[in-house]
Amino acid sequence: MKRTLGLLAALCATLILGCFDGSLTVRAPDESTSPDTHVDPGTADAGADIDPTINPDFPDLPCEGAACRAPEPSAPPRFTRLTHEQWENTMRDLLRLDARPNLSTNFLPDPDSAGSFNNNSAALDFTASLWDSYRVGAETLARQVATSPEALARIMPADAPDVLDARARAFIEHVGKRAYRRPLGEDEIARHLEIFAMAEQLMGEGDAFVQGVELLLRVFLQSPHFVFRSELTHSESAPVVALNAYERAAKLSFSLWSTMPDDLLFEAAAAGELDQRAGLERHARRMINDARAEDTIVDFHSQLLHFDAFRELAKDAERFPEFNADVAQAMRKEMELFIKDIIFEDEAGDLSALYLSPHSFVNAPLAAIYGLPGEFDEEFKRVDLDPRERAGLLTRLGFLSTHANAYEQSSIKRGVFVNLHVLCNQLGTIPDDIGSTEGAGGHTNRERITANTAGCGGTCHNSLINPAGFAFENYNALGRYQEVENGYPVDATGIFHFRHGTFPFQNSIEFNTLIAQSPDAHDCYTRHWFEFAYGRSPTDKDEPLIARISQASEAGLAKIRDMLVLLVVNDIFVTRSSAPTEETE
Amino acid sequence: MKTWKAPMSRRNFLRGSAGVVMALPFLEGLVRTSPALANTQRPVYFVCLRSGNGVAQFCDPTMGAPVFEPERFWPFERGALTQEMMLRTNAQNEIRTTGELVAHRDKLLIVDGIRYSYEGRGCGHSGGGNQCLTASPPFPDDDGHASRSRPADPSVDWVIEQKMKPRINANGVNVAEPLTMAAGVIGGFIDDIISYAPPLPGQFKARVRVSERNPWQIYKSLFGNPSDVHDDLMFNKIVKQRQSVNDLLRDQLGDLRRNSGLSQADHVRLDLYQNSIFELEERMLACHLPEAEWKAIEAAGDSNAWQNASNAEPILHMMMDITALAFACDLKRAATIQIGSGADFMTYNTTGPAYQFHWVSHRIQSDGGDGDPIANADHVHYQIDRIHARWFKYLIERLDEYDTDQGTLLDNSIALWTNDVATGRMHAFHNLPVVIAGSGGGYLKQGVYVDARATATISPASLEFPPRGFVANNQLFNTILNAVGVRNDDGSPIDDFGHKGSDTRNQQPGGEIPGMKA
């Protein structure tokens, strides 16, 4: 069914060439913040004359829908506060700590109220309490690093002179560049030197350099240049501007790593590598193959799949005596191992594999629930599950048990999830005054749900939620496979209305196959990644890019890792519209 | 550079035999009036305690309920709240939930007959929470997550703080923010649902205000760390260090503002950052709880005890202590305290059976609509309501402990105990529980239980959509806002708080609820 992946490299190159056409290939800005870097205004309409029958990024693919249009740069917020995840990672990397400082557990939590992910710039507000937490964190870490010769040595530039003032300047230039994610201007350096000089008077007795460094670190770690991710490049005359190299480096690193740029990215920015498509792609691929990308990918899926639910997952002790909190955490770990394996190790490595692969990773308690023969212990090991019973992510214990009640499977939770998060279907609103199913007739869960939702009409349960949920009737509240429920045979058959057609299925295996083959699922997954990588909801201007990548994924031409590369190596990632900021929600 | 003033002494806050006696700073606070205010009335404070999951009150099949459940919440009779009536019991020898507040009956105003004007558009809790203090319709997020809906307009606590305690920064932006807190288990499918700031420019949905949950963090951000005050020399040194750092940060903010092409929303983001520095620098370091109390709060914060649901009650008490002190020192005019998550998932200590409250409120073992029944669930719900009533009683008592030159702090406050839904089982949006303590400086009636429907204008929308005839909750807030002193720009009383859009169920201006007024 899939085309060979041998074409992939060439096709990716085609996509990138398509992105960086003509003068939109941005020039290396100088090492200042380059406030007026801009591109030829004509390139804003670069896609206006494309052949409407060809996907411009994948010439071998027929052009469909939005993919036939050219993406247009947007004007997202100029300032986005770091999420707590990003703050932790950035502190670790800036100060070259062995681990994240883990101070944000006491922060005012990031809001969970816009879009699907917690990094949506529209929701990341500031309060006095949060700033106070930043201050406490900054003062704590500044003291720790400045007063520890070993810790200080880690962040000092290698060739720092010994003379106090020159040494201070070297520290400001080197650490300041990493903290603000761009080189400091002369005025800024002078202002920081003033603070350094005040330390002797403000901090009391002690080593002048150490005291100055402590005060400077307090500034760096509380600065708006540190706590905000900024895109300051702007033009009053050109409709589209190219982000400068340092803004690109920061955008790449926060999108793919949820942290600041590493030394190689800083060097690439300084050398102008990120102004060329090949350099940008080279670094994107390097980053995606780094362990930090694994953390990002796990974070993305843990938010998408609501892994928070594992924390308070509860099952009825009488019905499921084998369940406890450790099992819940094992289920979560299985999900993480499976996702990472598909994306980083699996030969196919694409979305279809994520939804269809029968292999997984289990320890003894999970092996027992899966009914696997053989010996297992607490260590997780790779297994092949029965392909007649299990196909991909949605048949893993973690998904099935978190989308269930304490006693039995929840067809509605599963059906709603598949519709909202796997297929990105819009569901109608549910009634305000929901009733109870108490007294509803039926031998099986499916019969009861059918009876209770019979009055709901064709727009919600009967056409979308119920069939998607009933496909998983073979899995009980723990995710264990069942063919009989309460003495009655399980019915997991159904008919589902995808946007591209209506298809019958006999069970979850067939349903997952339909999902993996459906444009809806590829579009939806790409859309989620866009939202996560860009920190905002997509707008109509972004639809062409999403369509092109999702069509490549559907055609088997893009692994998940390739999808991430395609998301960041393109015009709209490295440019912005000069129009007023567009606020998306 | 700002001039540092020596902190005032804590002797201003002496605990006497009758409670905490407020001395000079508070009296100054009461008579001091912000030049930004159009009126010169004494400060009136507003605090809302939000319980979740509705209350155990009368419902029957004619109201859409599956089965009959008896009245257990409201007092037996409207009219004067007498001791006899509030302590009257049913056949099972049980008082009504509101009877828990009998000791403060002379300072209570209980109001029934109120509803939300808009449907939930998805999740009942989120839709109810959206409207609870905003009188504004919920809108699901773009991905269709009904449980992440947001209203279109800011909540009443935000409006009060902005209007009555404005904080104008150097750029002319009012950056005042109310105190927003939550205690107990937070997590599940919905978190913070009570307090909302207006939409950012270019957006149409209000911004949910994330609750502060660590009481020590709240305490420090309001009053500073009292440990710092012990050594004046050290304290002043720390302050000067921070001011030097902050001066540079302010310079950097100025540089950022000078970038061309920034939108209004971008400026708001920078304003929020700048305000955060400003607020911490300006906090009144003279205000502190007695040492034993702030040390207990410090311990709760440092040990992460606030993250443990079993500590919900002491943490709530701490938040109420902090709220009362913040009002007494006139640092804040408005506060909200949310109990548990958007839908309260805590398991309470009742006679059982022990299930998490959200399930209890549904009367089944499920967060949804299908699940095995929970025996005796309505009675468990009633017991939880009484626990919440006792928590509200604690808040009343803390506010009543502070004396002023004209009554107690409670007399100059409006403490509202309410819920985002009326009943848990149906997620009903009508006959919302509304229990008020304090007269708002004499504006509200005291010692009575009134029916809002008896005196208020019923909007045509409320007559059109079932259940008909209830009073829109914007009229409750019209009344409260006028009591607190908020006025329209032309000085006229507030008569149309909440949403003013073109929704088919749009509420009418409606005016106040006359039966609530003294």
Side-chain angles (χ1 to χ4, degrees), chain B residues 13-22 397-398 400-403:
Chain B
F13 301 89
L14 303 176
R15 185 177 289 279
S17 58
V20 175
V21 178
M22 297 303 303
E397 289 168 352
R398 294 291 75 74
D400 217 22
E401 269 186 344
Y402 290 92
D403 290 326

Side-chain angles (χ1 to χ4, degrees), chain A residues 183-201:
Chain A
L184 275 61
E186 271 305 315
D187 288 350
E188 288 182 294
I189 293 171
R191 189 71 180 89
H192 285 77
L193 279 169
E194 287 175 21
I195 280 281
F196 180 87
M198 293 166 68
E200 188 172 4
Q201 176 194 351

Side-chain angles (χ1 to χ4, degrees), chain B residues 67-372:
Chain B
V67 295
F68 167 84
E69 288 187 6
E71 181 56 63
R72 290 191 172 102
F73 183 82
W74 303 98
F76 275 87
E77 299 167 16
R78 297 193 184 89
L81 292 168
T82 66
Q83 178 163 327
E84 178 282 322
M85 189 261 282
M86 291 193 79
L87 293 179
R88 199 180 300 167
T89 57
N90 61 13
Q92 289 74 42
N93 201 31
E94 290 174 330
I95 61 170
R96 297 279 169 88
T97 293
T98 42
E100 288 281 0
L101 304 173
V102 63
H104 305 283
R105 62 189 180 282
D106 292 343
K107 295 190 177 184
L108 291 182
L109 171 60
I110 301 176
V111 188
D112 69 3
I114 292 176
R115 65 169 289 172
Y116 296 140
S117 294
Y118 306 94
E119 52 191 342
R121 290 180 174 157
C123 170
H125 295 282
S126 186
N130 291 163
Q131 298 184 68
C132 187
L133 296 186
T134 68
S136 179
F139 293 94
D141 75 1
D142 292 340
D143 289 340
H145 300 97
S147 60
R148 291 182 182 172
S149 61
R150 282 181 285 156
D153 301 280
S155 52
V156 70
D157 54 312
W158 171 272
V159 172
I160 290 171
E161 193 70 30
Q162 284 261 311
K163 293 281 188 183
M164 304 310 292
K165 188 75 175 171
R167 296 172 71 84
I168 311 298
N169 71 8
N171 305 297
V173 177
N174 185 353
V175 290
E177 295 188 53
L179 190 53
T180 307
M181 299 171 285
V185 170
I186 300 293
F189 58 82
I190 176 172
D191 291 341
D192 299 301
I193 58 168
I194 290 300
S195 183
Y196 297 91
L200 283 174
Q203 299 182 351
F204 73 94
K205 282 183 281 188
R207 290 167 289 156
V208 65
R209 290 178 44 72
V210 178
S211 301
E212 312 269 5
R213 291 156 198 178
N214 180 339
W216 181 232
Q217 194 62 37
I218 302 166
Y219 190 93
K220 287 190 297 178
S221 68
L222 282 169
F223 314 115
N225 187 340
S227 297
D228 291 346
V229 190
H230 287 164
D231 180 341
D232 281 353
L233 197 63
M234 176 63 72
F235 181 63
N236 282 306
K237 194 168 77 173
I238 293 170
V239 167
K240 284 177 181 167
Q241 291 167 5
R242 289 176 183 165
Q243 283 179 342
S244 299
V245 171
N246 291 350
D247 286 344
L248 178 49
L249 302 184
R250 266 188 282 267
D251 287 351
Q252 293 179 336
L253 274 172
D255 292 341
L256 286 173
R257 285 184 200 287
R258 282 188 283 279
N259 276 278
S260 58
L262 297 189
S263 70
Q264 233 183 315
D266 292 326
H267 280 290
V268 168
R269 292 187 175 92
L270 297 180
D271 287 338
L272 289 171
Y273 176 96
Q274 180 161 326
N275 172 52
S276 302
I277 303 174
F278 178 71
E279 191 158 304
L280 288 171
E281 285 183 339
E282 295 294 312
R283 63 194 167 194
M284 187 185 285
L285 289 150
C287 290
H288 283 295
L289 291 169
E291 186 165 344
E293 293 181 22
W294 68 253
K295 285 206 161 177
I297 295 173
E298 181 182 31
D302 290 348
S303 66
N304 290 332
W306 56 278
Q307 294 178 332
N308 187 336
S310 63
N311 294 325
E313 181 169 291
I315 297 300
L316 268 169
H317 286 177
M318 290 173 185
M319 291 176 172
M320 291 167 179
D321 292 340
I322 290 169
T323 301
L325 185 62
F327 286 177
C329 297
D330 201 30
L331 291 178
K332 294 287 180 185
R333 294 286 175 90
T336 55
I337 307 174
Q338 178 178 305
I339 301 173
S341 297
D344 186 351
F345 296 102
M346 290 192 288
T347 300
Y348 287 81
N349 187 16
T350 68
T351 59
Y355 288 97
Q356 52 124 314
F357 183 24
H358 190 227
W359 289 10
V360 169
S361 75
H362 282 199
R363 311 295 190 251
I364 54 175
Q365 298 168 38
S366 170
D367 295 319
D370 60 296
D372 290 345

Side-chain angles (χ1 to χ4, degrees), chain A residues 440-473:
Chain A
H443 300 297
T444 63
N445 174 68
R446 177 169 182 153
E447 289 178 6
R448 284 194 299 276
I449 296 293
T450 301
N452 273 290
T453 57
C456 216
T459 57
C460 50
H461 284 275
N462 298 338
S463 65
L464 293 171
I465 299 173
N466 287 5
F470 291 155
F472 300 94
E473 287 299 281

Side-chain angles (χ1 to χ4, degrees), chain A residues 22-98:
Chain A
S23 59
L24 200 56
T25 300
V26 289
R27 301 284 175 259
D30 61 27
E31 294 226 339
S32 72
T33 52
S34 185
D36 214 16
T37 303
H38 68 275
V39 295
D40 182 344
T43 58
D45 299 323
D49 297 328
I50 60 176
D51 184 338
T53 64
I54 294 175
N55 181 330
D57 293 329
F58 290 90
D60 283 2
L61 288 177
C63 175
E64 291 177 22
C68 303
R69 291 193 280 125
E72 296 175 55
S74 295
R78 309 281 288 275
F79 307 106
T80 302
R81 171 172 72 70
L82 299 183
T83 66
H84 297 344
E85 173 86 7
Q86 292 165 344
W87 185 91
E88 289 278 355
N89 292 341
T90 303
M91 283 293 191
R92 175 198 61 202
D93 297 338
L94 173 65
L95 301 176
R96 303 196 193 283
L97 307 175
D98 293 329

Side-chain angles (χ1 to χ4, degrees), chain A residues 49-304:
Chain A
D49 297 328
I50 60 176
D51 184 338
T53 64
I54 294 175
N55 181 330
D57 293 329
F58 290 90
D60 283 2
L61 288 177
C63 175
E64 291 177 22
C68 303
R69 291 193 280 125
E72 296 175 55
S74 295
R78 309 281 288 275
F79 307 106
T80 302
R81 171 172 72 70
L82 299 183
T83 66
H84 297 344
E85 173 86 7
Q86 292 165 344
W87 185 91
E88 289 278 355
N89 292 341
T90 303
M91 283 293 191
R92 175 198 61 202
D93 297 338
L94 173 65
L95 301 176
R96 303 196 193 283
L97 307 175
D98 293 329
R100 301 183 347 154
N102 202 27
L103 296 174
S104 65
T105 51
N106 276 330
F107 289 7
L108 187 66
D110 286 330
D112 186 23
S113 62
S116 297
F117 304 100
N118 65 7
N119 65 351
N120 193 303
S121 58
L124 290 167
D125 272 353
F126 241 99
T127 67
S129 170
L130 178 58
W131 195 81
D132 196 40
S133 298
Y134 281 166
R135 181 188 59 73
V136 171
E139 291 179 357
T140 303
L141 293 169
R143 169 60 58 92
Q144 282 177 12
V145 171
T147 57
S148 161
E150 297 79 19
L152 186 53
R154 289 187 185 185
I155 61 170
M156 282 297 293
D159 52 354
D162 292 331
V163 178
L164 185 64
D165 287 351
R167 191 171 178 79
R169 183 183 178 91
F171 178 85
I172 291 166
E173 288 181 350
H174 182 73
V175 180
K177 175 180 168 181
R178 298 181 64 241
Y180 298 167
R181 304 182 279 275
R182 58 169 174 78
L184 275 61
E186 271 305 315
D187 288 350
E188 288 182 294
I189 293 171
R191 189 71 180 89
H192 285 77
L193 279 169
E194 287 175 21
I195 280 281
F196 180 87
M198 293 166 68
E200 188 172 4
Q201 176 194 351
L202 292 171
M203 306 291 279
E205 294 182 3
D207 182 286
F209 185 74
V210 167
Q211 288 177 330
V213 162
E214 181 178 344
L215 204 56
L216 283 171
L217 282 174
R218 288 194 198 178
V219 172
F220 288 148
L221 303 183
Q222 296 175 75
S223 167
H225 299 301
F226 176 81
V227 300
F228 285 114
R229 296 191 290 122
S230 323
E231 292 183 4
L232 297 176
T233 306
H234 181 69
S235 169
E236 293 293 336
S237 53
V240 176
V241 291
L243 300 181
N244 71 43
Y246 290 99
E247 289 173 337
R248 292 177 182 206
K251 194 169 182 180
L252 263 184
S253 63
F254 282 106
S255 295
L256 297 179
W257 282 350
S258 294
T259 188
M260 61 176 282
D262 65 354
D263 292 342
L264 291 176
L265 265 180
F266 277 118
E267 290 168 13
E273 286 180 47
L274 304 181
D275 305 320
Q276 305 300 324
R277 62 183 73 90
L280 196 63
E281 187 194 359
R282 186 165 60 250
H283 281 279
R285 292 203 174 277
R286 172 181 73 81
M287 295 171 73
I288 286 168
N289 289 316
D290 185 278
R292 280 167 283 195
E294 285 191 26
D295 295 340
T296 300
I297 281 166
V298 167
D299 184 34
F300 166 83
H301 287 95
S302 71
Q303 293 190 54
L304 182 64

Side-chain angles (χ1 to χ4, degrees), chain A residues 372-392:
Chain A
L372 291 170
E375 294 203 358
F376 296 88
D377 53 24
E378 287 307 304
E379 295 297 315
F380 282 75
K381 65 180 184 183
R382 181 184 168 121
V383 293
D384 289 319
L385 304 173
D386 186 340
R388 294 165 301 177
E389 297 179 1
R390 307 281 172 173

